[in-house]
Amino acid sequence: MFGLENDRQTLERQLLAIECKLANAEERSETNRYVKSWMKELKSVAYKADNVLDDFQYEALRRQSKSNESTSRMVLGYITRHSPLLFRFEMSRKLKNVLKKINKLVEEMNRCDLENSVNREERQNPWRQTHSKLDETTKIFGRDDDKEVVVKLLLDQQDQRRVQVLPIIGMGGLGKTTLAKMVYNDQGVHQHFKLKMWHCVSDNFDVIALLKSIIELAVNGRCDMPDTIELLRKQLEKVIGQNRFMLVLDDVWNEDESKWEDVLKPLLCSIGGSGSVILVTTRSQKVASIMQTLRPRKITCLNEQDSWEVFAQNAYSNGGQEEIELTSIGRCIVNKCRGLPLALRTMGGLLGSYQQVQEWKAIEESNISENVRGKYEIMSILKLSYKHLSYEMKQCFAFLAVFPKDYEMDKDKLIQLWMANGFIQEKGTMDLTRKGEIIFDELVWRSFLQDKQECKHRYGYVTVNCKMHDLMHDLAKYVTDECASIEELTQQKALLKDVSHMQVTETELQLISGLCKGRTYLRTLLSPSEYYKDYKVLLQVSASLRALHCPLLQLSFARP
Ligand SMILES: Nc1ncnc2c1ncn2[C@@H]1O[C@H](COP(=O)(O)OP(=O)(O)O)[C@@H](O)[C@H]1O
Ligand SMILES: [Mg+2]
């Protein structure tokens, strides 16, 4: 179009390249502040570039619709705001600007060997191995029923010829490993199984490593055999023999079905004496569905009383007084943890080291991810789940930070918002909505979303709603600074120039319009309940909008 075509095509190519770079840099930005700030800059340029391309599309559409107009109107067009000459001039300036910025950032990346430098840092962070020993100094609360059910299920398999697999599912920090340890150390279990083995899988679902480890656990010594599956298979059969065994595979992430079905299952599930079992812990329902032979045990968050006990055990362990004021602040903090033992334990421990009411109050008033222990001991564990998502799913998940905590999300609306923002990529002939549904289901399966339920409405139509655990919300906020509330803007915890997605009332919208003097880079604008009456304000902030949703008006549109 108008001789700008070359630049436009370059920009499109650059945008694709940026997407790849962002996907690669995302994980690394965690360990390196320089990469983080570089990435932020790149993202903002990518949005600007996207806006420029949108202007092209818009102009092309506008022309198409005007092509039937009379000659006099077309002549007029050359001296009005929509003049092709003006458009060309304006676009050329914008295109050059954005291309220059992109080139500068790419140059910077190459000059500083950004990608490799971060790889080195990452390697120093090995994953944590678990073991089967229970810490006897800390009490476990609220898991006796779970333990009883799991133990009974395992013992009930005594007549089964083939090895049975029982998964324990739940989000990170919910206590799956702890429950597996309780079962592993149970007296009845101890007497029932001739051989008990504990293997922490985590990211390493390598067949050879796994077989070797099981052999080593069975013989209590080293396995120096060559890396040949057939040899290892024979050795495994020899060392397990006809013993009834229990194998715990802790923290499994593998979603490659063929790796289990074709390789490991035939090797592991046909050995040992009758009644042998494998207990798997995982955050993902998908992993469970691949491996299970028994119905998985889903564990839930702790109730209020047990939550308090876990918290208090750590918060008051230094002999601190349970003063009335501290207790009431403690209750609020426990409430923030929403029954997640990892958070209760960490926050309890953190507060146990403070005795001043002001210090407790500061923690009460902040998000869990905002203090050092919350960030490193809770968010880093939850973040593991995030790391296992595809780039596409990461974007869709991070976007959920736009909703307030405890918000009930509507599946269809969510998918529309993802689509409008271009988070979902086309794949073959699959419809984008269908792809959105798959992403939604995966987020549920991987415990990012919870309480999924169908709601039947008066006129017979059905919607699917779900919520997010508060700490998952913290995680979404932690991984993106593109979503902010009006409070965060006014308290300057977020900057309007970085924010792309917001849910605001009309009054808040006026405030934003005032703050930004009519110019924002907002891409999503959601009205929580009422509709916006003042369209002037709406138009002022909507230059970059991809999605607008006003429920009562049923007004919702997406820019092409
Ligand atoms: N029911 C419980 N009572 C007390 N502490 C618990 C309980 N469940 C888990 N914890 C503690 O919470 C933390 C996370 O538990 P863990 O079993 O590692 O979670 P997961 O394996 O689900 O990620 C651990 O420090 C553990 O000791
Ligand atoms: Mg675990």
Coordinates of all heavy atoms in Angstrom, one line a residue, residues 8 30 40 60 81 89 97 106-107 145 147 171 180 254 296 302 369 381 388 401 403 417 442 469 522 549:
R8 N 6.1 -2.5 5.7 CA 5.1 -3.2 6.4 C 5.4 -4.7 6.5 O 5.3 -5.3 7.6 CB 3.7 -3.0 5.7 CG 2.5 -3.4 6.6 CD 1.2 -3.4 5.8 NE 1.2 -4.3 4.7 CZ 1.0 -5.6 4.8 NH1 0.7 -6.1 6.0 NH2 1.0 -6.4 3.7
E30 N 13.4 -14.2 34.7 CA 13.2 -14.4 36.1 C 14.5 -14.2 36.9 O 14.5 -13.6 38.0 CB 12.6 -15.8 36.4 CG 12.3 -16.1 37.8 CD 11.3 -15.1 38.3 OE1 10.5 -14.5 37.6 OE2 11.3 -15.0 39.6
K40 N 10.5 -6.1 28.7 CA 9.4 -5.2 28.9 C 9.4 -4.2 27.7 O 8.4 -3.9 27.1 CB 9.6 -4.5 30.2 CG 8.4 -3.9 30.8 CD 8.6 -3.6 32.2 CE 7.7 -2.6 32.7 NZ 8.0 -2.2 34.1
A60 N -7.4 -0.2 5.1 CA -7.8 -1.0 3.9 C -9.3 -1.2 3.9 O -10.0 -1.1 2.9 CB -7.0 -2.3 3.9
R81 N -9.1 14.5 7.0 CA -8.3 13.7 7.9 C -8.0 12.4 7.3 O -7.0 11.7 7.7 CB -9.1 13.5 9.2 CG -8.4 13.6 10.5 CD -9.3 13.9 11.6 NE -10.4 13.0 11.7 CZ -10.3 11.8 12.2 NH1 -9.2 11.4 12.7 NH2 -11.4 11.0 12.2
F89 N 2.0 9.6 4.9 CA 3.0 10.3 5.7 C 3.1 9.8 7.1 O 4.2 9.5 7.7 CB 2.7 11.8 5.6 CG 3.6 12.7 6.3 CD1 4.9 12.9 5.8 CD2 3.3 13.3 7.5 CE1 5.8 13.7 6.5 CE2 4.2 14.1 8.2 CZ 5.5 14.3 7.7
N97 N 9.7 4.6 12.8 CA 10.0 4.7 14.3 C 10.0 3.4 15.0 O 11.0 3.0 15.7 CB 8.8 5.5 14.9 CG 9.3 6.6 15.7 OD1 10.4 6.5 16.3 ND2 8.5 7.6 15.9
V106 N 17.1 -5.5 19.2 CA 17.7 -6.7 18.7 C 19.3 -6.6 18.8 O 20.0 -7.5 19.2 CB 17.2 -7.1 17.3 CG1 18.0 -8.2 16.7 CG2 15.8 -7.4 17.4
E107 N 19.7 -5.4 18.3 CA 21.2 -5.2 18.4 C 21.7 -5.3 19.8 O 22.7 -5.9 20.0 CB 21.5 -3.7 17.9 CG 22.1 -3.6 16.6 CD 22.2 -2.1 16.2 OE1 22.5 -1.3 17.0 OE2 21.9 -1.9 15.0
D145 N -7.8 -38.3 56.9 CA -8.8 -39.0 56.0 C -8.2 -39.4 54.7 O -8.4 -40.5 54.2 CB -10.0 -38.1 55.8 CG -10.9 -37.9 57.0 OD1 -10.5 -38.6 58.0 OD2 -11.8 -37.1 57.0
K147 N -5.2 -39.9 54.0 CA -4.2 -41.0 54.2 C -4.9 -42.3 54.4 O -4.5 -43.3 53.7 CB -3.3 -40.7 55.5 CG -2.3 -41.8 55.8 CD -1.7 -41.7 57.1 CE -1.3 -43.0 57.6 NZ -0.9 -43.1 59.0
M171 N -2.8 -28.8 43.4 CA -1.9 -27.7 42.9 C -0.6 -27.8 43.8 O -0.5 -28.4 44.8 CB -2.5 -26.4 43.0 CG -2.9 -25.9 44.4 SD -3.8 -24.4 44.5 CE -2.5 -23.2 44.3
A180 N 2.0 -38.4 50.4 CA 2.7 -39.6 49.9 C 3.6 -40.1 51.0 O 3.8 -41.3 51.3 CB 3.4 -39.3 48.6
N254 N 5.5 -35.4 33.2 CA 5.5 -35.9 31.8 C 4.1 -36.1 31.2 O 3.2 -36.8 31.7 CB 6.2 -37.3 31.8 CG 6.0 -38.0 30.4 OD1 6.5 -37.4 29.4 ND2 5.3 -39.1 30.4
P296 N -7.8 -41.4 40.6 CA -6.9 -40.5 41.3 C -7.5 -40.0 42.6 O -8.7 -39.8 42.6 CB -6.6 -39.4 40.3 CG -7.1 -39.9 39.0 CD -8.1 -40.9 39.2
L302 N -6.9 -27.0 52.9 CA -7.2 -27.3 54.3 C -8.4 -26.4 54.7 O -8.6 -25.3 54.2 CB -6.0 -27.0 55.2 CG -4.8 -27.8 55.0 CD1 -3.7 -27.5 56.0 CD2 -5.1 -29.3 55.0
S369 N 3.1 -12.5 47.4 CA 4.3 -12.5 46.5 C 5.2 -11.3 46.8 O 6.2 -11.1 46.2 CB 3.9 -12.5 45.1 OG 3.1 -11.4 44.8
I381 N 7.7 -21.9 43.8 CA 7.1 -23.3 43.7 C 5.9 -23.3 42.8 O 5.8 -24.2 41.9 CB 6.8 -23.9 45.1 CG1 8.1 -24.2 45.8 CG2 5.9 -25.1 45.0 CD1 8.0 -24.7 47.2
H388 N 5.9 -24.8 32.8 CA 5.6 -25.9 32.0 C 4.5 -25.6 30.9 O 4.2 -26.5 30.1 CB 5.1 -27.1 32.8 CG 6.3 -27.9 33.4 ND1 6.9 -27.5 34.6 CD2 7.0 -29.0 33.0 CE1 7.9 -28.3 34.9 NE2 7.9 -29.2 33.9
A401 N -5.0 -12.2 35.5 CA -4.7 -11.2 36.5 C -5.6 -9.9 36.3 O -5.7 -9.1 37.2 CB -3.3 -10.8 36.5
F403 N -8.8 -9.9 36.3 CA -9.9 -10.0 37.1 C -9.5 -9.9 38.6 O -8.4 -10.2 39.0 CB -10.6 -11.4 37.0 CG -11.0 -11.7 35.5 CD1 -10.4 -12.6 34.7 CD2 -12.1 -11.0 35.0 CE1 -10.7 -12.8 33.4 CE2 -12.5 -11.2 33.7 CZ -11.8 -12.1 32.9
L417 N -12.2 -13.0 25.0 CA -11.2 -12.0 25.4 C -9.8 -12.5 25.0 O -9.0 -11.7 24.5 CB -11.2 -11.8 26.9 CG -12.4 -11.0 27.4 CD1 -12.5 -11.0 28.9 CD2 -12.5 -9.6 26.8
E442 N -7.2 -27.2 29.8 CA -5.8 -27.5 30.2 C -5.5 -26.7 31.5 O -4.8 -27.2 32.4 CB -4.8 -27.2 29.2 CG -4.8 -28.2 28.1 CD -3.4 -28.7 27.7 OE1 -2.4 -28.2 28.3 OE2 -3.3 -29.6 26.9
H469 N -7.6 -20.0 42.5 CA -7.1 -19.9 43.9 C -6.4 -18.5 44.1 O -5.7 -18.1 43.1 CB -6.1 -21.0 44.2 CG -5.7 -21.2 45.6 ND1 -4.8 -20.4 46.2 CD2 -6.2 -22.0 46.6 CE1 -4.7 -20.7 47.5 NE2 -5.5 -21.7 47.7
L522 N -4.3 0.8 26.5 CA -5.1 -0.2 27.0 C -5.6 -1.1 25.8 O -6.0 -0.6 24.8 CB -6.4 0.3 27.7 CG -6.2 0.8 29.1 CD1 -7.5 1.3 29.7 CD2 -5.7 -0.4 30.0
H549 N -15.7 -5.0 27.0 CA -16.9 -5.8 27.5 C -17.7 -5.0 28.5 O -17.2 -4.7 29.6 CB -16.4 -7.1 28.1 CG -17.5 -8.0 28.4 ND1 -18.0 -8.9 27.4 CD2 -18.3 -8.2 29.4 CE1 -19.0 -9.6 27.9 NE2 -19.2 -9.1 29.2

